[in-house]
Amino acid sequence: MVPLGILGGGQLARMTLQAASRLGIDVVIGERFPDSPAARLTDKSIVFQHGWEDSEALDALAGAAKVITLESEFVDWRVLESLERRGVRVRPSPACVRVVQDKLLQKRALARAELPVPPFREIADPAALMDAGRELGWPLMLKARRDGYDGRGNIVVNSPNDAEAACKSLGWPERALFAEAFVDFERELASLAVRGTDGGIEQYPVVETRQDPRLHICREVVAPAELPDEVRTRAKDVARAAVEAVDGMGAFGVELFLVRDGQVVINELAPRPHNSAHYTIEACWTSQFENHARAVLGLPLGDTAMRAPAAAMVNVLGSGTEGITEGSVRDALEVRQAFVHLYGKLEVRPGRKMGHITALGATRQEALERATTAAERIRL
């Protein structure tokens, strides 16, 4: 098997490594610091001591793995291009990542494909934000074009009086911004699609994602989402078309808004395995992580159907500085048909994803109750 390199050593790389190892695939982790969650599971890791542009580390990674993927969209596409110049295949491609990691370019690509996105405008300064508000209406959603996640890098702007303060709060003028019309949605959905080297796509069930209202971080995922058949089909079709529109390869998380007339609107894409599909490890015949590894290595994609009627996932979020205790893990493991995943992160911070719980059930409510019960027993 061709060794697989992963840029990034967090939980997504860790779970991809675990899935790849089942297929006998060696994985090399590249990260900017030693002892990352993924690096602790392999003896093949490379530390980028001088950031992602570290030429010696890039040389070493290119020498160790001929196919490289990434666990987040925060590695600049130029770094990925430099890896390709070293003779490796990068999947998804640098051209794809260039578009997706800049949310304004991402929205433009989706709009060109005539996919449903909120009206949006580039924001050069507070005056441009006020112009956008007059055109699109208040409130507006102001977003950083790069490096925003889990609610960070976004802010709701309610009136022209808030324009300058909002821009500065997101790092303007050093940081590039854009604005979207505010979407009054009914629910948030997600669809995970995996695209192989031959262009073939496998999709997982559409799920409902529920956010922590205080932290603006995904707290719960329920699979499958309770939806009319026509809405479910529409969501899957939109997600598939979105991945094709950016020429994606591998696993792509597509975040969606369900609006009150039954239409779906794309929020954003993530060119990697996604938090909304962690439940697939236990609930589907092939997990998103295994299918991601298969896809980028050119292997046949696996069955994405669920093997239980319902599943739920609850994120285990840090709330202070205390680490996870053996006693709390023991308590969580007592919950039947609940599966504990801890990421091995050494530092606990408020709102940091320290792990997740997946539970299966005959119904969505049964699965969610099991997952919630187990998650509440892990004290942080």
Side-chain angles (χ1 to χ4, degrees):
M1 284 286 193
V2 176
L4 175 63
I6 304 178
L7 280 171
Q11 68 262 27
L12 299 181
R14 182 183 176 105
M15 289 184 277
T16 301
L17 185 157
Q18 290 170 321
S21 68
R22 293 179 55 247
L23 301 177
I25 298 167
D26 288 334
V27 176
V28 184
I29 297 297
E31 184 51 280
R32 293 156 296 177
F33 52 89
D35 205 30
S36 66
R40 292 205 298 278
L41 301 187
T42 178
D43 60 356
K44 299 178 176 66
S45 63
I46 296 164
V47 179
F48 284 64
Q49 297 181 354
H50 307 294
W52 292 124
E53 295 79 13
D54 186 328
S55 60
E56 290 187 9
L58 290 168
D59 288 342
L61 184 60
K66 294 308 176 186
V67 175
I68 293 174
T69 190
L70 55 156
E71 77 149 6
S72 83
E73 55 273 35
F74 304 139
V75 180
D76 191 84
W77 63 274
R78 298 174 188 85
V79 172
L80 306 182
E81 271 197 341
S82 75
L83 280 167
E84 282 196 334
R85 289 195 295 271
R86 288 169 165 85
V88 303
R89 289 165 287 177
V90 179
R91 296 171 175 165
S93 71
C96 171
V97 174
R98 174 181 176 271
V99 170
V100 177
Q101 70 184 190
D102 183 324
K103 294 180 182 179
L104 177 60
L105 298 184
Q106 180 188 130
K107 282 296 194 304
R108 287 173 175 165
L110 298 174
R112 281 195 300 271
E114 300 182 345
L115 292 171
V117 294
F120 59 91
R121 299 290 181 272
E122 183 175 3
I123 301 299
D125 51 36
L129 180 57
M130 289 187 277
D131 289 343
R134 282 190 287 270
E135 183 179 356
L136 303 178
W138 302 98
L140 280 178
M141 181 64 75
L142 184 65
K143 295 185 174 183
R145 289 176 57 172
R146 297 267 312 246
D147 301 338
Y149 70 102
D150 283 346
R152 301 175 180 90
N154 302 338
I155 188 170
V156 177
V157 188
N158 291 301
S159 75
N161 296 332
D162 303 325
E164 184 169 358
C167 289
K168 289 181 176 178
S169 73
L170 292 185
W172 174 83
E174 290 79 14
R175 200 177 191 189
L177 309 175
F178 78 109
E180 293 179 344
F182 188 82
V183 179
D184 184 20
F185 58 87
E186 177 186 310
R187 282 184 283 164
E188 293 188 64
L189 307 174
S191 178
L192 195 288
V194 186
R195 188 167 184 244
T197 55
D198 62 354
I201 292 180
E202 294 287 343
Q203 288 181 264
Y204 289 90
V206 178
V207 300
E208 179 178 348
T209 62
R210 300 172 182 174
Q211 314 305 312
D212 185 300
R214 182 174 54 87
L215 299 171
H216 305 291
I217 296 173
C218 179
R219 185 72 189 194
E220 301 171 352
V221 173
V222 178
E226 189 170 4
L227 297 168
D229 288 344
E230 64 271 16
V231 175
R232 188 187 318 279
T233 299
R234 188 178 304 124
K236 292 189 75 170
D237 289 348
V238 165
R240 181 188 187 99
V243 175
E244 291 174 332
V246 298
D247 196 23
M249 189 179 296
F252 271 66
V254 184
E255 299 176 11
L256 304 163
F257 294 129
L258 174 63
V259 295
R260 301 188 190 283
D261 62 358
Q263 299 301 309
V264 293
V265 176
I266 300 172
N267 178 20
E268 61 186 44
L269 311 183
R272 51 173 171 77
H274 196 258
N275 190 214
S276 66
H278 288 355
Y279 76 95
T280 62
I281 297 172
E282 288 83 23
C284 296
W285 293 108
T286 312
S287 76
Q288 67 161 336
F289 300 102
E290 181 175 329
N291 259 339
H292 180 65
R294 290 190 190 199
V296 299
L297 291 171
L299 300 173
L301 300 181
D303 190 345
T304 57
M306 291 183 65
R307 50 185 175 185
M313 186 217 71
V314 175
N315 278 322
V316 177
L317 304 177
S319 59
T321 58
E322 293 293 326
I324 298 172
T325 66
E326 181 180 336
S328 67
V329 174
R330 184 186 301 274
D331 292 343
L333 290 172
E334 290 178 349
V335 181
R336 297 294 182 180
Q337 295 190 40
F339 303 88
V340 178
H341 295 260
L342 300 175
Y343 303 150
K345 294 180 178 179
L346 301 178
E347 181 184 359
V348 180
R349 297 194 301 267
R352 192 181 195 196
K353 293 173 183 172
M354 303 300 295
H356 73 268
I357 307 292
T358 296
L360 309 180
T363 66
R364 299 174 182 85
Q365 187 60 34
E366 182 179 63
L368 183 57
E369 288 175 356
R370 287 172 174 162
T372 301
T373 297
E376 288 176 345
R377 293 183 180 186
I378 297 180
R379 294 172 291 279
L380 284 169

